[in-house]
Amino acid sequence: MSDERHVGIVLVSHSAEVAESVAGLAKSLAGGATAVPVAAAGGTEGGGFGTSAELISAAAAAVDQGAGVAVLADLGSAVLTVKALLAEGDELPADTRLVDAPFVEGAVAAVVTASTGAGLDAVVAAASEAYAYRKV
């Protein structure tokens, strides 16, 4: 096992299934990316649709290897919940950033970049640049 620390990725969605599926897709497209800690924080504690500050905090703590944590969120209140946690100052690991990126494409770019051992700035930049991916 490598002693190299990787940036952790947290995927916040209103749906547990969406968050888990995007996490699986991103890791698969990154060649398995077994060294990259990726956590899904979807839905509520009871399994419903919504956003849970507790699930987000637990996911961020679980993926924190000391190299920073990048958080990608799907929709409005997920973003607001992450912003509120960041504003609290002690709810998320010290080097946690909310990434302005498309959820699926950004997650893939973040995990692929983190799998190379890149730092938090590079992971955030790669995910953010996913807005420029043109499909037509």
Side-chain angles (χ1 to χ4, degrees):
M1 178 179 275
S2 171
D3 289 335
E4 185 177 2
R5 296 181 295 170
H6 289 82
V7 172
I9 312 293
V10 176
L11 302 175
V12 181
S13 174
H14 285 70
S15 163
E17 292 84 3
V18 168
E20 291 163 8
S21 293
V22 172
L25 175 68
K27 290 180 81 165
S28 175
L29 293 176
T34 57
V36 179
V38 180
T44 63
E45 290 89 350
F49 291 107
T51 306
S52 165
E54 291 78 16
L55 291 177
I56 297 167
S57 293
V63 301
D64 182 22
Q65 295 184 345
V69 175
V71 180
L72 289 88
D74 65 356
L75 301 168
S77 64
V79 173
L80 295 174
T81 303
V82 174
K83 284 183 176 182
L85 288 168
L86 287 167
E88 290 292 322
D90 61 351
E91 296 295 321
L92 298 173
D95 243 356
T96 300
R97 290 198 210 155
L98 174 60
V99 183
D100 183 16
F103 193 62
V104 176
E105 294 91 335
V108 171
V111 174
V112 167
T113 303
S115 73
T116 69
L120 184 59
D121 289 339
V123 170
V124 169
S128 298
E129 289 168 8
Y131 272 127
Y133 296 168
R134 304 304 316 164
K135 296 177 179 140
V136 179

